[in-house]
Structure formats: structure tokens, C-alpha cells
Amino acid sequence: MTKHDNIYANPLGDVTGFQFDQSVVDVFPDMIQRSVPGYTTIVAMIGTLAERYAQAGSRCYDLGSSLCAATLAMRHRIPAADCEIIAVDNSSAMIERAHQVLAADSGQIPVQLVCDDLQNVKIENASVVVLNFTLQFIPVEKREGILQKICNGLRPGGILIISEKVDFTDPDHRELMIDLHHAFKRANGYSELEIAQKRTALENVLIPETLDTHRERLKAVGFTSVDVWFQCFNFASLIAIKAKT
């Protein structure tokens, strides 16, 4: 049974930087559903996109896989033969729980769980790569190199699905999107204290960028088609496709 997220429910004398430790793992499904508008839709559509783009005999990567929601979505929708899913997360607590999640799953596509920083993982023979709210936690100066490695490791016609919390250049629009996101969290039962303390914990840990920045970087590393397929407030998901030839 999923535990209720109350990590920030009580006043904390010192709000430390957010980490994907055991306390977060224990409440993660509840936390992500109540914090990220459209999360369920994004995960389900990752499965739909993988159904379309996964190529026979290829690998599909879930980078920053947490509890394997995207991995399972792909596992149950991919019809292509002889595919393998590589799920990578640098949190040992996440990987340990993910082993339990996969053990209870009936999917037939092999899944390899890797506990490591995604910068250390080779991307090879890939047709689908997923960064589902992952790149935002990577230092900005390392992001282009990671995307270049992904593009290089994708087969022609392969796809990258990248979901992110995003920023806006217009300050009024930025504040509106932040206010609407906070209203979403309040509607899902979070208190003002929880919202404020979580925001402090994520400061300098989660660094959002504008959609234009994401588009320009993805084009710069070699993706030929890049655009948003989903957005709700300051959360968005993009599709980046590598040319077939």
C-alpha cells in the first residue's frame, strides 16, 4: 500500500537539499502524483510512444527510472521483438524497491536495473530513451554532454522523450505558472508549510530551464525534430527524434 507523503508536514529547523533517499522512496508514488500535474498521462503516453518507436532487437533506456513507472509503461506496450529495457537510477534505495516492483510485474520484456549515475552508462543500440523528470536534477553544464551521448547511441529513427519542470522568460508568466502549480498541490492536500519547505529543499537541486533552451540544445546535439507533446502549467514533455537517414 502506498504511504502518504508527509515528509514536509511538520516545521523543520533546517530544510536540507532534496534527496531520493529511503524516506522519499517510501512515499514516492503519492508524492509524484500529488506534485506533478499530468504525471499519470505522461507515463501512460510514454508507453504509447514506445509502442510506436521501439525497434526490434534494440534497447530502450529509462534514465532516472525511480520506481520504474516509465519502464513498466514501455514493458507492457512494446510489440517489437527482442527488445531489452535498461532502467538506471543512482539511488540505491530506489533500485532496491524497483527490484520488488519488477518482481511483482507480469511483463515479459527483460529489464536490467542499473544503480549508477546516468553519466556513466553507455547508450548503445537504442531506439527509445526516456528522461522523465531527470535532466532537471543534473548540473546544467553537464546536460548537453548527456544529450549528445543519447543522440549518438540512438538508432536512426530513434526517439528521446524528455519531461521537465520548465521556466519562463516572462516574469509575470513565471509567477502565474508557479501559483497555479501551488494551487494544484493545495488541491491535492498539501499545506502551505509543506509547499514552502519542499520548495526550499528543491532550490539549487532542481534547476528548470525554458522550453526554448531545451529545443535549442536538443537540435544542437543532432535531433532533427523536437517539440512539446504535453504541457500543464510549468511541467512539460518533449519528443526529440533522430533522423532515419
Side-chain angles (χ1 to χ4, degrees):
M1 183 177 177
T2 300
K3 294 183 179 180
H4 188 73
D5 172 25
N6 60 2
I7 292 175
Y8 298 100
N10 298 310
L12 300 173
D14 180 22
V15 180
T16 58
F18 187 85
Q19 296 182 356
F20 291 95
D21 56 16
Q22 189 63 54
S23 65
V24 170
V25 171
D26 289 342
V27 301
F28 187 73
D30 181 66
M31 174 186 285
I32 198 81
Q33 291 283 352
R34 294 166 63 208
S35 300
V36 178
Y39 182 77
T40 299
T41 298
I42 290 170
V43 169
M45 292 305 103
I46 286 172
T48 298
L49 289 164
E51 180 180 20
R52 180 183 181 93
Y53 284 96
Q55 301 176 24
S58 71
R59 292 176 171 177
C60 300
Y61 289 82
D62 183 4
L63 303 177
S65 53
S66 60
L67 299 183
C68 287
T71 291
L72 294 179
M74 291 192 287
R75 193 183 201 189
H76 287 276
R77 294 299 297 272
I78 291 174
D82 301 321
C83 286
E84 178 187 18
I85 300 173
I86 313 296
V88 181
D89 203 285
N90 65 0
S91 166
S92 58
M94 282 287 188
I95 290 292
E96 183 178 349
R97 184 66 57 83
H99 276 291
Q100 299 173 21
V101 170
L102 290 173
D105 180 64
S106 60
Q108 298 301 306
I109 296 175
V111 177
Q112 179 184 349
L113 285 173
V114 178
C115 187
D116 202 348
D117 288 337
L118 63 88
Q119 296 99 313
N120 300 328
V121 176
K122 290 183 178 180
I123 307 298
E124 299 175 312
N125 189 33
S127 61
V128 178
V129 178
V130 175
L131 285 166
N132 202 35
F133 301 106
T134 299
L135 196 69
Q136 60 197 24
F137 291 104
I138 302 293
V140 172
E141 65 273 12
K142 296 182 178 180
R143 295 179 185 181
E144 183 168 337
I146 289 168
L147 296 176
Q148 185 69 72
K149 180 176 72 170
I150 290 171
C151 189
N152 292 346
L154 275 166
R155 289 182 175 186
I159 186 174
L160 168 63
I161 305 162
I162 175 170
S163 309
E164 291 277 288
K165 187 176 184 180
V166 296
D167 196 10
F168 302 89
T169 54
D170 181 271
D172 291 334
H173 195 71
R174 178 189 296 123
E175 288 306 310
L176 173 61
M177 292 299 103
I178 291 171
D179 288 348
L180 289 170
H181 179 220
H182 289 173
F184 170 84
K185 296 181 79 169
R186 285 192 294 271
N188 282 321
Y190 282 117
S191 67
E192 296 295 342
L193 176 65
E194 288 175 293
I195 292 169
Q197 293 192 139
K198 177 73 171 293
R199 187 175 186 180
T200 299
L202 286 170
E203 189 174 3
N204 300 321
V205 176
L206 189 165
I207 309 297
E209 297 177 289
T210 66
L211 287 169
D212 283 344
T213 297
H214 285 292
R215 288 190 186 98
E216 291 167 6
R217 187 190 288 127
L218 289 163
K219 288 287 186 70
V221 302
F223 289 99
T224 53
S225 175
V226 178
D227 221 327
V228 174
W229 68 272
F230 178 91
Q231 183 175 353
C232 184
F233 305 147
N234 47 354
F235 291 85
S237 190
L238 300 93
I239 298 170
I241 303 173
K242 186 173 179 177
K244 292 184 178 180
T245 55

